[in-house]
Amino acid sequence: MLNELPKDVDPCGENGEFHTFTYDGPLFKQKVDLKLTDKIVKGTYYWYRDFVLS
């Protein structure tokens, strides 16, 4: 996978290329029930896909 990244992407995500989102874990009272939308937004330097509550 790392070899497939564009040359201007830091494979460690040091420039903000990668983001995480926590929706479940031992500190949560309950899991946040989410569903991915079908819409993918593509910008010049980013892509994102929205979540909605299930």
Side-chain angles (χ1 to χ4, degrees), residues 9-25:
V9 172
D10 181 337
C12 294
E14 295 289 327
N15 297 314
E17 290 91 346
F18 309 117
H19 300 275
T20 59
F21 178 80
T22 304
Y23 61 94
D24 194 9

Side-chain angles (χ1 to χ4, degrees), residues 6-41:
K7 296 296 180 203
D8 59 339
V9 172
D10 181 337
C12 294
E14 295 289 327
N15 297 314
E17 290 91 346
F18 309 117
H19 300 275
T20 59
F21 178 80
T22 304
Y23 61 94
D24 194 9
L27 298 177
F28 284 43
K29 288 184 180 180
Q30 66 186 44
K31 175 182 173 182
V32 180
D33 198 13
L34 299 169
K35 183 171 79 170
L36 282 171
T37 63
D38 291 332
K39 183 179 178 184
I40 298 174
V41 177

